[in-house]
Amino acid sequence: MEYPFQITSLEQYKEQYQKSVDEPESFWGDIAENFYWRKKWDKVLEWNFKEPKVEWFKGGKLNITENCIDRHLETMGEKPAIIWEPNNPDERTRVVTYTRLHKRVCQFAQVLLNNGVKKGDRVCIYMGMVPELAYAVLGCARIGAIHSVIFGGFSAQSIADRLEDAKAEFIVTCDGAYRGGKDIPLKSIIDDALIGNKTVKKVIVYTRTRTPVSMIKGRDVWWEDEMDYALSQIEKNNVVTMPATEMDAEDPLFILYTSGSTGKPKGVVHTCGGYMVWTTYTFVNVFQYKPGDVHFCTADIGWITGHSYIVYGPLAAGGTSVMFEGVPTWPDAGRFWDIVDKYKVNVLYTATTAIRSLMSYGLDPLQGKDMSSLKVLGTVGEPINEEAWHWYDQHIGKKKCPIVDTWWQTETGGILISNLAGITPAKPSWATLPMPGVQPVLVDERGKEVTEPDEHGLLKGNLCIKAPWPGIIRTTYGDHERCRTNYFATYENLYFTGDGALKDKDGNFRITGRVDDVLNVSGHRIGTAEIENAINMHASVVESAVVGFPHSIKGQGVYAFVITEKKHPEDDLAKKDILETVSRIIGPIAKPDKIQFVNGLPKTRSGKIMRRILRKIAEGETENLGDTSTLLDPSIVDEIKQNKV
Ligand code: WTA
């Protein structure tokens, strides 16, 4: 498959960028021509950020799985679509060709129909990283059911909240999942999540770990039985036929929950047409993917990175995508490099936190690894510090692989700011230039565009985007107003990212981190309010305040200041109880790294917690805490400083 929309020089990037800004409709209309539409769109773009309303390729009819699978069958049927690397390196690899993927996705789509799933129904997927997870996602897309994948590290309570918010009627899960040395009992967590649930009718269970599970009559069914039966329905004389449901470009494709600065996670909704165009376009351009390349994105499909750059982007481009079940440090910290050599990986796309973590093991795990197949390296999830960037460049890329620092969000569907590998210049720790179609702007607190450079010649402000690109969030599920207030109301006529950034005179952007109350822990977004709510659920907790602090591997760690009923429960048990509570309510990823019991929190006279002060203390600052004169009780600050953990 050739990519007529692949940018091949810096000049061409500049020219394409300009065209995308001057004539967005003709620009994106031309790119969309490279996909398979059952019917072409009526209008390329309609939008206003007031409501907000964004419609790309409206009236166009398609099914994304015909683009990700069917259209490749004739010419590339025997080419690997997915190469699966199991958790245990001694277990057999699975190579899923496009023909095989087609069969499995059709089978699973039929399974969904047999179980009563209809277009528009929400199907929650809670599985480990097995090929069946990709079949489940694409099977939903094939019949127009809306998938909502939940990362395997979330607790029963988190799942229950998401099931309720999405009013999901169906679940696809596994008996268990292997992650490094651990087995995670997924079905049993689902069973807990379903206590009290009133919407879920069917649970489809794939066997992976042979962990004993309870199967409830009438509700729970085995994947394997259902798949066998479905095959007998759709396969005749070795030919599989299972028509894909025709979707409008603006019909929802999936919901993915993500944390914000307030309350519960939001269900970010992406639609079929724009998301497909955006993930494919960015995949081909940022990574400079060439037909036949092996692409290894190490993310989990429970996060947006896995949706866009393991499943949809690579498959729509007819690529080969490596899917890895395990973790980077098991059985040892050389695992990624073994996988690179085993499958001759050409593009490696991983999280900044993974690079820092692997760096901490030194160079031993790299001994004897060849890695000469690598052509392009990528990072995502959080700002990359220069030290990690150079380590990645020198020891993994051997100074011959361009590194793309890709900045984007769940809400943006795909990469918005990044260099294009080997085409536009890289700058260590800078995400650099916007993709065509993306118009970033830095604004001050009042929403005024920043135009005065600081003493280093840099513009500094809150990062917003002026106009829609095809992959932008359409709504938050079931609550459009929440979408408006979260992203489009802070500054008029702008999409607000929640990130701060710097811009240099050449137009490069450097992301400095969140400016709202959202933490980025190992590349995972968690709202401080969410963690506080969880801590406050513990019976002996009166109040808590959570802030981030710099963490050498995770990027940010979680620091919790906690007031308990009993004065100073210094014992470890109290801390462990709180950790257990957070694990139960949200999941292990949200567990505080540090807990400090305090007698009070620094509050203003109106009762607002001065997080700025707590953040400084957590960062280890003792002197310049800023203005404390508005505090109700300034002495509390000294006490907190003295007892810092
Ligand atoms: C942060 C992940 C700096 C940022 C794709 C953003 C980054 C949040 C980068 C979104 C990067 C992501 N440099 N920061 N290259 N990539 N971020 O929704 O704060 O899980 O707002 O999407 O991660 O996280 P999310």
Side-chain angles (χ1 to χ4, degrees):
M1 193 177 166
E2 294 297 319
Y3 311 115
F5 50 84
Q6 190 162 50
I7 295 170
T8 55
S9 69
L10 181 59
E11 293 65 45
Q12 198 193 358
Y13 161 77
K14 288 181 182 158
E15 173 233 317
Q16 294 284 296
Y17 185 82
Q18 200 52 47
K19 180 163 186 235
S20 76
V21 173
D22 296 341
E23 309 160 45
E25 292 203 46
S26 89
F27 182 84
W28 290 109
D30 287 351
I31 287 164
E33 293 285 345
N34 293 286
F35 294 81
Y36 172 65
W37 300 84
R38 292 207 188 162
K39 174 185 162 287
K40 290 276 158 66
W41 47 93
D42 302 323
K43 180 102 175 66
V44 174
L45 173 63
E46 286 272 357
W47 71 286
N48 72 67
F49 276 173
K50 263 209 152 45
E51 295 177 51
K53 177 176 101 168
V54 179
E55 292 173 344
W56 282 95
F57 314 113
K58 180 87 174 160
K61 303 290 177 195
L62 78 158
N63 186 287
I64 198 168
T65 69
E66 290 184 333
N67 282 276
C68 289
I69 310 172
D70 302 53
R71 67 169 169 157
H72 308 316
L73 290 177
E74 206 173 305
T75 52
M76 301 193 292
E78 294 318 303
K79 189 181 154 177
I82 294 174
I83 298 176
W84 178 71
E85 168 73 5
N87 182 57
N88 182 340
D90 297 330
E91 195 184 329
R92 192 172 53 88
T93 296
R94 284 161 67 184
V95 177
V96 184
T97 62
Y98 275 96
T99 302
R100 174 58 60 99
L101 181 65
H102 175 255
K103 180 169 170 174
R104 294 289 178 247
V105 169
C106 288
Q107 256 178 292
F108 192 69
Q110 184 64 44
V111 166
L112 292 170
L113 293 179
N114 291 347
N115 281 280
V117 183
K118 296 182 302 300
K119 178 176 171 181
D121 288 349
R122 276 79 51 220
V123 178
C124 159
I125 303 176
Y126 186 66
M127 300 173 87
M129 283 284 284
V130 285
E132 285 69 19
L133 165 54
Y135 307 159
V137 162
L138 293 163
C140 287
R142 192 152 186 99
I143 64 160
I146 302 171
H147 59 76
S148 176
V149 184
I150 300 180
F151 175 61
F154 280 116
S155 69
Q157 183 62 51
S158 289
I159 300 168
D161 292 344
R162 286 159 171 77
L163 289 172
E164 192 186 309
D165 188 82
K167 297 183 187 62
E169 290 176 306
F170 306 92
I171 294 179
V172 190
T173 188
C174 298
D175 51 354
Y178 294 124
R179 277 179 70 76
K182 285 191 224 145
D183 293 2
I184 301 160
L186 298 183
K187 171 63 165 64
S188 140
I189 297 171
I190 287 289
D191 288 338
D192 289 346
L194 285 176
I195 296 168
N197 174 286
K198 296 205 171 55
T199 55
V200 172
K201 296 184 205 147
K202 279 282 161 81
V203 181
I204 301 171
V205 186
Y206 173 72
T207 312
R208 173 65 185 129
T209 54
R210 303 205 162 267
T211 308
V213 294
S214 88
M215 295 291 280
I216 305 294
K217 197 180 289 164
R219 188 193 73 183
D220 301 351
V221 296
W222 290 110
W223 170 289
E224 294 76 10
D225 298 346
E226 297 290 309
M227 287 290 266
D228 284 349
Y229 179 62
L231 192 63
S232 72
Q233 295 170 282
I234 63 169
E235 190 179 47
K236 301 253 149 50
N237 306 322
N238 274 327
V239 180
V240 174
T241 22
M242 159 78 212
T245 299
E246 187 166 289
M247 306 291 283
D248 190 276
E250 281 299 336
D251 279 338
L253 174 64
F254 66 85
I255 305 172
L256 188 58
Y257 283 86
T258 191
S259 293
S261 40
T262 47
K264 287 196 171 167
K266 306 175 281 260
V268 173
V269 175
H270 285 290
T271 57
C272 299
Y275 177 80
M276 170 181 76
V277 170
W278 188 247
T279 52
T280 315
Y281 180 80
T282 51
F283 171 72
V284 163
N285 279 302
V286 171
F287 302 106
Q288 287 292 303
Y289 186 84
K290 300 286 182 308
D293 279 354
V294 176
H295 174 82
F296 177 22
C297 166
T298 70
D300 190 289
I301 296 178
W303 306 105
I304 191 69
T305 309
H307 281 62
S308 302
Y309 300 110
I310 296 177
V311 183
Y312 288 112
L315 297 179
T320 296
S321 185
V322 176
M323 183 174 175
F324 174 39
E325 185 183 35
V327 298
T329 50
W330 193 87
D332 59 55
R335 191 67 195 275
F336 277 179
W337 326 129
D338 287 334
I339 297 174
V340 167
D341 282 348
K342 187 166 172 186
Y343 304 115
K344 305 264 175 296
V345 168
N346 304 113
V347 185
L348 174 69
Y349 186 32
T350 195
T352 310
T353 185
I355 298 170
R356 280 195 306 260
S357 148
L358 292 172
M359 227 172 110
S360 73
Y361 288 84
L363 296 176
D364 277 356
L366 284 159
Q367 290 298 317
K369 317 284 155 140
D370 174 46
M371 300 204 287
S372 59
S373 57
L374 287 174
K375 295 199 292 192
V376 172
L377 302 176
T379 70
V380 62
E382 34 172 331
I384 182 161
N385 46 315
E386 291 204 30
E387 193 193 354
W389 195 98
H390 288 294
W391 187 86
Y392 201 30
D393 182 39
Q394 188 175 347
H395 298 293
I396 308 306
K398 312 271 164 51
K399 294 205 171 242
K400 65 175 180 57
C401 303
I403 298 178
V404 289
D405 178 349
T406 66
W407 173 82
W408 57 297
Q409 313 179 293
T410 305
E411 295 84 347
T412 70
I415 297 162
L416 290 203
I417 303 182
S418 171
N419 47 319
L420 312 182
I423 303 292
T424 64
K427 184 170 174 181
S429 85
W430 288 67
T432 74
L433 299 171
M435 294 298 294
V438 176
Q439 300 180 50
V441 51
L442 299 180
V443 302
D444 65 17
E445 291 301 323
R446 278 189 226 94
K448 212 170 124 289
E449 189 163 343
V450 178
T451 50
E452 280 303 309
D454 66 6
E455 67 273 26
H456 309 290
L458 301 172
L459 300 176
K460 182 174 187 209
N462 292 346
L463 180 62
C464 294
I465 317 284
K466 269 187 201 169
W469 59 96
I472 191 174
I473 178 175
R474 299 304 197 271
T475 188
T476 43
Y477 189 77
D479 190 351
H480 193 62
E481 177 58 14
R482 195 156 176 219
C483 175
R484 192 186 70 80
T485 50
N486 260 287
Y487 306 106
F488 299 92
T490 316
Y491 306 115
E492 212 180 341
N493 286 323
L494 294 174
Y495 166 80
F496 176 42
T497 65
D499 281 327
L502 302 171
K503 185 180 178 182
D504 72 8
K505 60 177 184 355
D506 301 321
N508 292 306
F509 286 88
R510 176 187 198 150
I511 312 303
T512 49
R514 305 288 306 191
V515 292
D516 53 8
D517 286 323
V518 173
L519 303 183
N520 190 333
V521 180
S522 300
H524 300 150
R525 273 163 69 175
I526 314 170
T528 51
E530 240 180 287
I531 307 177
E532 287 164 10
N533 289 344
I535 295 175
N536 297 349
M537 306 267 282
H538 189 277
S540 59
V541 171
V542 178
E543 196 180 8
S544 64
V546 165
V547 296
F549 70 96
H551 187 287
S552 61
I553 296 199
K554 297 174 165 187
Q556 266 189 315
V558 179
Y559 196 121
F561 298 90
V562 180
I563 306 177
T564 52
E565 274 168 6
K566 264 205 330 238
K567 294 286 171 222
H568 292 299
E570 293 301 346
D571 53 322
D572 260 10
L573 194 59
K575 288 190 181 176
K576 286 195 182 126
D577 286 352
I578 289 174
L579 294 181
E580 182 62 18
T581 310
V582 174
S583 249
R584 288 271 166 183
I585 305 293
I586 306 176
I589 50 171
K591 280 200 288 199
D593 299 275
K594 294 184 179 182
I595 296 176
Q596 178 178 350
F597 293 114
V598 295
N599 288 319
L601 292 166
K603 288 188 179 174
T604 60
R605 290 192 181 84
S606 57
K608 212 172 151 281
I609 297 174
M610 298 267 283
R611 284 166 193 286
R612 176 171 55 76
I613 294 176
L614 293 174
R615 225 175 276 134
K616 288 215 159 149
I617 295 176
E619 284 166 6
E621 179 76 57
T622 47
E623 298 305 315
N624 303 315
L625 294 181
D627 183 12
T628 53
S629 62
T630 55
L631 286 181
L632 186 62
D633 176 10
S635 69
I636 203 78
V637 174
D638 293 325
E639 188 199 304
I640 296 177
K641 261 193 331 204
Q642 270 155 30
N643 299 322
K644 184 180 177 307
V645 291

